[in-house]
Amino acid sequence: MPNRLPAALLEAVREGDAVLDRGLRGPGPELALLAAEGLLAAPLPVSNGGRGWGTCVHGALPMLGVLSDLGGASLPVARIYEGHVNAVRLVIRHGSPAQRASMANAVLAGGVMGVWGADSAQPVYLDVAPPGHVLRGVKAFASGLGDVTLAIVTARTADTLQMALVDATDPARGDQSQWDMDAMVGSRSGWFDCDGLFIGSDQRLGRPGALFDEPDFHGGIWRLAACYNGAMQRVARELALLVEQRGLADDPIMCHRLGLAAMEAQNSFLWAREACLEAESGANANLALSTVLFAREAIEQAAGRQIALAERIGGTSLHQRGSALGRIIRNLRLYLRQAQLDGKLAMAASCWRAECNGGVH
């Protein structure tokens, strides 16, 4: 797939990725570039000044291209942007007319959204005791701390989760020091203290449990698959460049390994594209979920094989602190880690069996 984003923009994001990896700053400059290009507003409906990318059927493949491009340029930036798209989509699907309008205005003004669902050792819950609804607890892995302006946080209720829209701009509530990882440094995925945040009725998003509506909940994993694939495409290109620079373009073993690495990237693209089309068509929930979740598993396995090939080709150079290829691989390894991967595969198999049996579980 040709790049959806301008070459100059992608080059600037690639250059910034090296700075992000050092933890010298956050991704604010890169997000500003995306805003200037109209990409923060792109997921909004056309009626709200957007393009419907990633939120309407006609915008599925354009968003696939954008996320793949960003995944190849900077996975931390891609991670934050994917969260922004996810948040916009959730408000469109579950928000009131007033919430949708307010969100659209904020995004058009340059606001960045996020979805913060992971809990720390102090889970976030909705305290419904008088005088009103208040959040208690702390979110973990809150990506984009310091840059996300409006976040959807999940809060535990008696038997499910309630989504809530919260102002994420108070620096006193964010703790970036908790993101002490060897990769995805620039995603700034630290802790966010929700304790004491008042939640009015206009901030509760959707009914309790709406987050888990399928096929949207798991079906949206296709967007992560697009980011993964962008990184894998970049790994293949960087390997090709490395082989050329070392004068090994005619070495049959190196060419064989390079061919396999490129094949893994291309196979992953085909999986990501199919997952995107099935999830966004809305025609068949079982088929959408099985395709998306099988795609996620297939891409993870392909990435593992590609990384092994890259390590054979690149050797110790991948561990040099300034190695772009080494940085991409580190980030991809971490970004591939998600909760309950075995459960996702089991769900894929269950939906696939149901589809084989005529749609009956």
Side-chain angles (χ1 to χ4, degrees), residues 1 7 9 28 46 59 63 66 68-69 118 133 140 145 164 183 195 204 206 246 265-266 272 294 323 341 361:
M1 176 179 286
L9 171 63
V46 174
M63 183 52 68
V66 169
S68 181
D69 282 355
H133 294 188
L145 279 179
D195 203 62
R204 292 195 291 277
R246 291 181 175 178
Q266 182 62 14
F294 279 146
S323 168
L341 292 179
H361 278 278

PDB file of all heavy atoms in Angstrom, residues 1 7 9 28 46 59 63 66 68-69 118 133 140 145 164 183 195 204 206 246 265-266 272 294 323 341 361:
ATOM      1  N   MET A   1       0.851  -1.192   0.000  1.00  0.00           N
ATOM      2  CA  MET A   1       0.000   0.000   0.000  1.00  0.00           C
ATOM      3  C   MET A   1       0.887   1.242   0.000  1.00  0.00           C
ATOM      4  O   MET A   1       1.808   1.349   0.807  1.00  0.00           O
ATOM      5  CB  MET A   1      -0.898   0.013   1.245  1.00  0.00           C
ATOM      6  CG  MET A   1      -1.746   1.259   1.356  1.00  0.00           C
ATOM      7  SD  MET A   1      -2.821   1.249   2.799  1.00  0.00           S
ATOM      8  CE  MET A   1      -4.060   0.072   2.260  1.00  0.00           C
ATOM      9  N   ALA A   7       5.632  12.420   2.588  1.00  0.00           N
ATOM     10  CA  ALA A   7       6.973  11.937   2.906  1.00  0.00           C
ATOM     11  C   ALA A   7       7.661  12.823   3.939  1.00  0.00           C
ATOM     12  O   ALA A   7       8.360  12.327   4.836  1.00  0.00           O
ATOM     13  CB  ALA A   7       7.812  11.857   1.626  1.00  0.00           C
ATOM     14  N   LEU A   9       6.315  14.601   6.321  1.00  0.00           N
ATOM     15  CA  LEU A   9       5.745  14.352   7.636  1.00  0.00           C
ATOM     16  C   LEU A   9       6.311  13.066   8.228  1.00  0.00           C
ATOM     17  O   LEU A   9       6.723  13.038   9.401  1.00  0.00           O
ATOM     18  CB  LEU A   9       4.225  14.261   7.532  1.00  0.00           C
ATOM     19  CG  LEU A   9       3.476  13.789   8.787  1.00  0.00           C
ATOM     20  CD1 LEU A   9       3.681  14.764   9.932  1.00  0.00           C
ATOM     21  CD2 LEU A   9       1.989  13.626   8.500  1.00  0.00           C
ATOM     22  N   GLY A  28       4.785  15.682  21.734  1.00  0.00           N
ATOM     23  CA  GLY A  28       4.010  16.865  21.382  1.00  0.00           C
ATOM     24  C   GLY A  28       4.288  17.397  19.981  1.00  0.00           C
ATOM     25  O   GLY A  28       3.351  17.695  19.233  1.00  0.00           O
ATOM     26  N   VAL A  46     -17.874  13.328   8.582  1.00  0.00           N
ATOM     27  CA  VAL A  46     -17.790  14.444   7.643  1.00  0.00           C
ATOM     28  C   VAL A  46     -18.665  15.599   8.107  1.00  0.00           C
ATOM     29  O   VAL A  46     -18.284  16.776   7.977  1.00  0.00           O
ATOM     30  CB  VAL A  46     -18.199  13.977   6.230  1.00  0.00           C
ATOM     31  CG1 VAL A  46     -18.260  15.160   5.268  1.00  0.00           C
ATOM     32  CG2 VAL A  46     -17.232  12.914   5.713  1.00  0.00           C
ATOM     33  N   GLY A  59     -14.030   4.904   5.291  1.00  0.00           N
ATOM     34  CA  GLY A  59     -12.753   5.372   5.826  1.00  0.00           C
ATOM     35  C   GLY A  59     -11.894   4.278   6.415  1.00  0.00           C
ATOM     36  O   GLY A  59     -10.856   4.562   7.028  1.00  0.00           O
ATOM     37  N   MET A  63      -7.684   4.687   6.964  1.00  0.00           N
ATOM     38  CA  MET A  63      -7.113   4.631   8.314  1.00  0.00           C
ATOM     39  C   MET A  63      -6.108   3.494   8.436  1.00  0.00           C
ATOM     40  O   MET A  63      -5.102   3.619   9.143  1.00  0.00           O
ATOM     41  CB  MET A  63      -8.221   4.479   9.352  1.00  0.00           C
ATOM     42  CG  MET A  63      -7.715   4.475  10.804  1.00  0.00           C
ATOM     43  SD  MET A  63      -6.635   5.883  11.233  1.00  0.00           S
ATOM     44  CE  MET A  63      -7.800   7.245  11.162  1.00  0.00           C
ATOM     45  N   VAL A  66      -2.948   5.012   7.190  1.00  0.00           N
ATOM     46  CA  VAL A  66      -2.379   5.995   8.115  1.00  0.00           C
ATOM     47  C   VAL A  66      -1.691   5.306   9.283  1.00  0.00           C
ATOM     48  O   VAL A  66      -0.554   5.632   9.650  1.00  0.00           O
ATOM     49  CB  VAL A  66      -3.468   6.959   8.625  1.00  0.00           C
ATOM     50  CG1 VAL A  66      -2.956   7.796   9.783  1.00  0.00           C
ATOM     51  CG2 VAL A  66      -3.947   7.864   7.495  1.00  0.00           C
ATOM     52  N   SER A  68      -0.589   2.240   9.461  1.00  0.00           N
ATOM     53  CA  SER A  68       0.584   1.510   8.996  1.00  0.00           C
ATOM     54  C   SER A  68       1.755   2.453   8.774  1.00  0.00           C
ATOM     55  O   SER A  68       2.895   2.168   9.172  1.00  0.00           O
ATOM     56  CB  SER A  68       0.245   0.759   7.699  1.00  0.00           C
ATOM     57  OG  SER A  68       1.353   0.020   7.246  1.00  0.00           O
ATOM     58  N   ASP A  69       1.488   3.603   8.145  1.00  0.00           N
ATOM     59  CA  ASP A  69       2.546   4.598   7.948  1.00  0.00           C
ATOM     60  C   ASP A  69       3.147   5.046   9.277  1.00  0.00           C
ATOM     61  O   ASP A  69       4.370   5.130   9.432  1.00  0.00           O
ATOM     62  CB  ASP A  69       1.985   5.827   7.226  1.00  0.00           C
ATOM     63  CG  ASP A  69       1.825   5.607   5.728  1.00  0.00           C
ATOM     64  OD1 ASP A  69       2.228   4.539   5.236  1.00  0.00           O
ATOM     65  OD2 ASP A  69       1.291   6.509   5.060  1.00  0.00           O
ATOM     66  N   ALA A 118      -6.551   0.438  31.704  1.00  0.00           N
ATOM     67  CA  ALA A 118      -5.799  -0.427  32.617  1.00  0.00           C
ATOM     68  C   ALA A 118      -5.748   0.178  34.018  1.00  0.00           C
ATOM     69  O   ALA A 118      -5.537   1.380  34.187  1.00  0.00           O
ATOM     70  CB  ALA A 118      -4.385  -0.638  32.096  1.00  0.00           C
ATOM     71  N   HIS A 133     -21.455  11.505  42.011  1.00  0.00           N
ATOM     72  CA  HIS A 133     -20.577  10.451  41.504  1.00  0.00           C
ATOM     73  C   HIS A 133     -19.144  10.964  41.427  1.00  0.00           C
ATOM     74  O   HIS A 133     -18.867  11.983  40.796  1.00  0.00           O
ATOM     75  CB  HIS A 133     -21.052   9.987  40.131  1.00  0.00           C
ATOM     76  CG  HIS A 133     -22.392   9.306  40.181  1.00  0.00           C
ATOM     77  ND1 HIS A 133     -22.929   8.664  39.093  1.00  0.00           N
ATOM     78  CD2 HIS A 133     -23.295   9.146  41.180  1.00  0.00           C
ATOM     79  CE1 HIS A 133     -24.110   8.147  39.414  1.00  0.00           C
ATOM     80  NE2 HIS A 133     -24.344   8.440  40.679  1.00  0.00           N
ATOM     81  N   ALA A 140      -3.314   2.893  35.247  1.00  0.00           N
ATOM     82  CA  ALA A 140      -1.950   2.592  34.810  1.00  0.00           C
ATOM     83  C   ALA A 140      -1.914   2.559  33.281  1.00  0.00           C
ATOM     84  O   ALA A 140      -2.954   2.490  32.630  1.00  0.00           O
ATOM     85  CB  ALA A 140      -1.499   1.252  35.377  1.00  0.00           C
ATOM     86  N   LEU A 145       0.426  10.731  28.428  1.00  0.00           N
ATOM     87  CA  LEU A 145       0.390  11.670  29.552  1.00  0.00           C
ATOM     88  C   LEU A 145       1.095  12.969  29.180  1.00  0.00           C
ATOM     89  O   LEU A 145       2.218  12.962  28.680  1.00  0.00           O
ATOM     90  CB  LEU A 145       1.075  11.058  30.781  1.00  0.00           C
ATOM     91  CG  LEU A 145       0.258  10.090  31.629  1.00  0.00           C
ATOM     92  CD1 LEU A 145       1.119   9.573  32.778  1.00  0.00           C
ATOM     93  CD2 LEU A 145      -0.999  10.746  32.184  1.00  0.00           C
ATOM     94  N   ALA A 164     -16.196   7.074  31.302  1.00  0.00           N
ATOM     95  CA  ALA A 164     -16.380   8.463  31.707  1.00  0.00           C
ATOM     96  C   ALA A 164     -15.386   9.341  30.970  1.00  0.00           C
ATOM     97  O   ALA A 164     -14.234   8.949  30.738  1.00  0.00           O
ATOM     98  CB  ALA A 164     -16.202   8.616  33.215  1.00  0.00           C
ATOM     99  N   ALA A 183      11.349   0.060  26.225  1.00  0.00           N
ATOM    100  CA  ALA A 183      10.840   0.341  24.888  1.00  0.00           C
ATOM    101  C   ALA A 183       9.579   1.194  25.000  1.00  0.00           C
ATOM    102  O   ALA A 183       9.044   1.392  26.094  1.00  0.00           O
ATOM    103  CB  ALA A 183      10.548  -0.961  24.141  1.00  0.00           C
ATOM    104  N   ASP A 195      -8.485   9.979  41.573  1.00  0.00           N
ATOM    105  CA  ASP A 195      -9.148  10.111  42.863  1.00  0.00           C
ATOM    106  C   ASP A 195      -9.749  11.506  43.056  1.00  0.00           C
ATOM    107  O   ASP A 195      -9.060  12.527  42.929  1.00  0.00           O
ATOM    108  CB  ASP A 195      -8.152   9.823  43.997  1.00  0.00           C
ATOM    109  CG  ASP A 195      -8.865   9.394  45.258  1.00  0.00           C
ATOM    110  OD1 ASP A 195      -9.534   8.360  45.233  1.00  0.00           O
ATOM    111  OD2 ASP A 195      -8.760  10.125  46.266  1.00  0.00           O
ATOM    112  N   ARG A 204     -20.636  10.826  31.880  1.00  0.00           N
ATOM    113  CA  ARG A 204     -20.782   9.375  31.746  1.00  0.00           C
ATOM    114  C   ARG A 204     -21.070   9.055  30.286  1.00  0.00           C
ATOM    115  O   ARG A 204     -22.004   9.596  29.682  1.00  0.00           O
ATOM    116  CB  ARG A 204     -21.879   8.854  32.666  1.00  0.00           C
ATOM    117  CG  ARG A 204     -21.507   8.961  34.135  1.00  0.00           C
ATOM    118  CD  ARG A 204     -22.417   8.115  35.012  1.00  0.00           C
ATOM    119  NE  ARG A 204     -23.779   8.630  35.068  1.00  0.00           N
ATOM    120  CZ  ARG A 204     -24.179   9.602  35.883  1.00  0.00           C
ATOM    121  NH1 ARG A 204     -23.324  10.169  36.710  1.00  0.00           N
ATOM    122  NH2 ARG A 204     -25.440  10.004  35.881  1.00  0.00           N
ATOM    123  N   GLY A 206     -22.181   6.516  27.510  1.00  0.00           N
ATOM    124  CA  GLY A 206     -22.878   5.273  27.225  1.00  0.00           C
ATOM    125  C   GLY A 206     -23.422   4.611  28.475  1.00  0.00           C
ATOM    126  O   GLY A 206     -23.196   5.055  29.597  1.00  0.00           O
ATOM    127  N   ARG A 246      26.369  -3.414   3.801  1.00  0.00           N
ATOM    128  CA  ARG A 246      27.437  -4.364   4.148  1.00  0.00           C
ATOM    129  C   ARG A 246      27.988  -5.106   2.934  1.00  0.00           C
ATOM    130  O   ARG A 246      28.843  -5.976   3.067  1.00  0.00           O
ATOM    131  CB  ARG A 246      26.918  -5.367   5.180  1.00  0.00           C
ATOM    132  CG  ARG A 246      26.650  -4.737   6.539  1.00  0.00           C
ATOM    133  CD  ARG A 246      26.164  -5.755   7.544  1.00  0.00           C
ATOM    134  NE  ARG A 246      26.019  -5.169   8.873  1.00  0.00           N
ATOM    135  CZ  ARG A 246      25.568  -5.828   9.935  1.00  0.00           C
ATOM    136  NH1 ARG A 246      25.196  -7.102   9.813  1.00  0.00           N
ATOM    137  NH2 ARG A 246      25.463  -5.224  11.101  1.00  0.00           N
ATOM    138  N   ALA A 265       6.431  -9.585   6.478  1.00  0.00           N
ATOM    139  CA  ALA A 265       5.793  -8.262   6.494  1.00  0.00           C
ATOM    140  C   ALA A 265       4.608  -8.228   5.538  1.00  0.00           C
ATOM    141  O   ALA A 265       3.535  -7.690   5.872  1.00  0.00           O
ATOM    142  CB  ALA A 265       6.809  -7.182   6.127  1.00  0.00           C
ATOM    143  N   GLN A 266       4.774  -8.800   4.351  1.00  0.00           N
ATOM    144  CA  GLN A 266       3.690  -8.759   3.376  1.00  0.00           C
ATOM    145  C   GLN A 266       2.515  -9.635   3.811  1.00  0.00           C
ATOM    146  O   GLN A 266       1.348  -9.248   3.665  1.00  0.00           O
ATOM    147  CB  GLN A 266       4.194  -9.219   2.002  1.00  0.00           C
ATOM    148  CG  GLN A 266       3.150  -9.159   0.897  1.00  0.00           C
ATOM    149  CD  GLN A 266       2.631  -7.749   0.634  1.00  0.00           C
ATOM    150  OE1 GLN A 266       3.226  -6.776   1.085  1.00  0.00           O
ATOM    151  NE2 GLN A 266       1.519  -7.643  -0.074  1.00  0.00           N
ATOM    152  N   ALA A 272      -3.783  -7.908   8.112  1.00  0.00           N
ATOM    153  CA  ALA A 272      -4.294  -6.650   8.666  1.00  0.00           C
ATOM    154  C   ALA A 272      -5.383  -6.061   7.761  1.00  0.00           C
ATOM    155  O   ALA A 272      -6.405  -5.562   8.248  1.00  0.00           O
ATOM    156  CB  ALA A 272      -3.155  -5.649   8.845  1.00  0.00           C
ATOM    157  N   PHE A 294      -7.691 -13.842  14.736  1.00  0.00           N
ATOM    158  CA  PHE A 294      -6.720 -14.702  14.063  1.00  0.00           C
ATOM    159  C   PHE A 294      -5.610 -13.851  13.438  1.00  0.00           C
ATOM    160  O   PHE A 294      -4.439 -14.232  13.460  1.00  0.00           O
ATOM    161  CB  PHE A 294      -7.389 -15.541  12.971  1.00  0.00           C
ATOM    162  CG  PHE A 294      -8.090 -16.785  13.478  1.00  0.00           C
ATOM    163  CD1 PHE A 294      -9.249 -17.234  12.872  1.00  0.00           C
ATOM    164  CD2 PHE A 294      -7.579 -17.519  14.538  1.00  0.00           C
ATOM    165  CE1 PHE A 294      -9.900 -18.376  13.315  1.00  0.00           C
ATOM    166  CE2 PHE A 294      -8.219 -18.662  15.006  1.00  0.00           C
ATOM    167  CZ  PHE A 294      -9.378 -19.095  14.390  1.00  0.00           C
ATOM    168  N   SER A 323      20.823   2.477  17.062  1.00  0.00           N
ATOM    169  CA  SER A 323      20.328   1.695  15.934  1.00  0.00           C
ATOM    170  C   SER A 323      18.828   1.906  15.743  1.00  0.00           C
ATOM    171  O   SER A 323      18.023   1.558  16.607  1.00  0.00           O
ATOM    172  CB  SER A 323      20.611   0.202  16.151  1.00  0.00           C
ATOM    173  OG  SER A 323      19.908  -0.585  15.207  1.00  0.00           O
ATOM    174  N   LEU A 341      -3.785 -12.846  25.784  1.00  0.00           N
ATOM    175  CA  LEU A 341      -3.616 -13.235  24.387  1.00  0.00           C
ATOM    176  C   LEU A 341      -4.162 -14.633  24.121  1.00  0.00           C
ATOM    177  O   LEU A 341      -4.743 -14.890  23.060  1.00  0.00           O
ATOM    178  CB  LEU A 341      -2.140 -13.138  23.998  1.00  0.00           C
ATOM    179  CG  LEU A 341      -1.570 -11.716  23.962  1.00  0.00           C
ATOM    180  CD1 LEU A 341      -0.103 -11.738  23.600  1.00  0.00           C
ATOM    181  CD2 LEU A 341      -2.349 -10.849  22.984  1.00  0.00           C
ATOM    182  N   HIS A 361     -23.352 -20.542  18.230  1.00  0.00           N
ATOM    183  CA  HIS A 361     -22.307 -20.900  19.203  1.00  0.00           C
ATOM    184  C   HIS A 361     -22.658 -22.198  19.892  1.00  0.00           C
ATOM    185  O   HIS A 361     -23.824 -22.481  20.132  1.00  0.00           O
ATOM    186  CB  HIS A 361     -22.168 -19.801  20.270  1.00  0.00           C
ATOM    187  CG  HIS A 361     -21.320 -18.644  19.804  1.00  0.00           C
ATOM    188  ND1 HIS A 361     -19.948 -18.643  19.841  1.00  0.00           N
ATOM    189  CD2 HIS A 361     -21.675 -17.455  19.253  1.00  0.00           C
ATOM    190  CE1 HIS A 361     -19.489 -17.495  19.377  1.00  0.00           C
ATOM    191  NE2 HIS A 361     -20.524 -16.752  19.007  1.00  0.00           N
TER     192      HIS A 361
END
